[in-house]
Amino acid sequence: MAKKQAIKIKNPFVNQGYVSPEYFCDRQRETAEMLNHFENGRNITLVSPRRIGKTGLIKNLFYHIEKHNKNAICLYLDIFATKNLQDFTEMFGAVVFNGFAQKERSFLQKAAHVLSSLRPVFTNDPFTGLPKMSITVEPSRSQLTIQQIFDLLSASKRDIYIAIDEFQQIANYPETGTEALLRSHIQFASGVHFIFAGSKFRLMAEMFGSPQRPFFQSTEMMDLKALDKEVYYDFAKHFFEKKRGSLDHDSFIQLYDCFEGHTWYIQSVLNRLYDNCIHVKSMKEVNREIVHVVESRAPQYESLAQFLSSNQFNLLKAIASEGIVAEPTGGRFIRQHNMASASVVQSALRGLTEKEIVYRTPRGYIVYDRFMSIWLKRTFG
């Protein structure tokens, strides 16, 4: 068998997906910690705001697992878009079947007893040519199908690692007992290791920290922080120097601080800097690329604004103008931004938070999309 060639890409600042460790910055401590948990039979709860690198860390962990264990199967599903147990079951089943089918050609025959309760549709992936399956589950058979899928996983002689991203979503399902149902299967799934990842701290803390919840103290909790800025700078500088360019240290630090270490935003700007600049000498080049990114997203932000009430949009602009607001219902904030009253602000804030346009941090409320915050300040500030 020919040796697999290392993946090389034109632009090393990846802001979508995962390529390889060469293009992934650090997280050595976190990766080692997660491997240790798995080796000792401990499942993991991973919590962080979106766009700080949670998914990249999971994919990097899976890369190393599969590199050193050819018997392993690593499966990732993001359930953010699921609305009920049926949606979850269909996604979970499809991810399991497709993941196994790529490793074992005979898997579909082994899984015939499960497939009999589903309505599978078989296609070929247009990019890889590999077989791909989607499934449909009758709502009344969701619980039975989940049991069958777990039976199939437990019967496998492989080491299986499953990451369920945005796991807090199951708390919003209309069916009662979904957490207890999944917990009852997961705790007896032999040889199956889980990562429960989420971006809503309060919900995840309740699900795994409350004695009244089925997943209480069933995992090791990990809170993912931003990358160390000096380690990140060395990582970024390396790629500029490889093309005989340079990256000014102070400019990178200002870029990092501008987005508070949130990897996705920084990578987006670095991607454009790498494409357009040989030498990044000052914030002039950095700010130019930030503006280009923000302007490219302006139509998206304008469209979103159409779906907000006037009170919500006024509050959004006010939060963006201050960057972070500790007390949005306080008198100073209301007077300074001509808001009607504390009750109006509270109602608008609830709507923006539910839509995840505004996010509450330990220090106060911010606009979740940092590029949108810049657009608001430039357009209305």
Side-chain angles (χ1 to χ4, degrees), residues 188-241:
F188 296 114
S190 177
V192 187
H193 312 273
F194 285 88
I195 300 172
F196 307 103
S199 58
K200 294 187 177 180
F201 286 89
R202 183 183 61 80
L203 281 176
M204 293 293 284
E206 288 179 2
M207 292 175 73
F208 291 91
S210 171
Q212 285 77 43
R213 304 292 279 267
F215 281 95
F216 173 60
Q217 293 186 349
S218 62
T219 66
E220 293 292 326
M221 297 290 293
M222 292 183 62
D223 180 7
L224 190 63
K225 305 296 185 183
L227 288 165
D228 179 271
K229 64 178 65 176
E230 293 298 336
V231 172
Y232 200 173
Y233 170 68
D234 290 339
F235 169 83
K237 179 182 69 170
H238 162 74
F239 289 112
F240 278 90
E241 290 178 345

Side-chain angles (χ1 to χ4, degrees), residues 17-192:
Y18 174 85
V19 178
S20 72
E22 181 181 356
Y23 306 105
F24 181 77
C25 180
D26 194 33
R27 299 296 190 196
Q28 295 178 13
R29 180 187 60 79
E30 293 91 340
T31 302
E33 183 179 348
M34 295 172 82
L35 285 170
N36 179 263
H37 288 322
F38 280 156
E39 288 168 359
N40 288 280
R42 300 186 291 261
N43 288 330
I44 301 164
T45 297
L46 180 66
V47 186
S48 78
R50 287 193 199 141
R51 297 180 172 176
I52 208 167
K54 171 167 43 70
T55 303
L57 173 59
I58 292 171
K59 296 295 182 69
N60 185 63
L61 174 72
F62 282 178
Y63 176 95
H64 288 287
I65 288 173
E66 292 182 321
K67 180 180 179 180
H68 294 99
N69 183 358
K70 302 304 180 184
N71 188 56
I73 292 182
C74 296
L75 307 172
Y76 171 88
L77 58 154
D78 183 344
I79 65 170
F80 179 73
T82 62
K83 303 300 181 185
N84 49 49
L85 184 59
Q86 179 187 0
D87 289 349
F88 175 88
T89 306
E90 290 177 350
M91 180 181 289
F92 185 42
V95 167
V96 168
F97 288 124
N98 289 320
F100 268 84
Q102 291 179 19
K103 291 274 189 175
E104 296 183 34
R105 293 186 177 182
S106 61
F107 174 75
L108 295 181
Q109 286 76 27
K110 296 179 183 178
H113 67 290
V114 177
L115 289 173
S116 65
S117 69
L118 310 174
R119 292 201 295 270
V121 176
F122 296 95
T123 58
N124 288 325
D125 188 294
F127 297 102
T128 66
L130 295 170
K132 184 179 180 181
M133 185 186 75
S134 59
I135 64 174
T136 302
V137 179
E138 291 290 342
S140 61
R141 297 184 64 86
S142 294
Q143 293 193 23
L144 175 61
T145 303
I146 285 178
Q147 178 182 329
Q148 292 173 320
I149 294 170
F150 272 100
D151 289 344
L152 197 61
L153 291 172
S154 296
S156 171
K157 295 181 180 180
R158 292 178 176 272
D159 297 315
I160 303 168
Y161 301 84
I162 300 176
I164 306 178
D165 208 350
E166 300 301 338
F167 186 71
Q168 74 276 339
Q169 188 67 18
I170 70 169
N172 299 321
Y173 291 173
E175 298 87 357
T176 58
T178 300
E179 290 178 50
L181 171 69
L182 294 179
R183 172 67 176 141
S184 67
H185 291 302
I186 288 169
Q187 65 181 332
F188 296 114
S190 177
V192 187

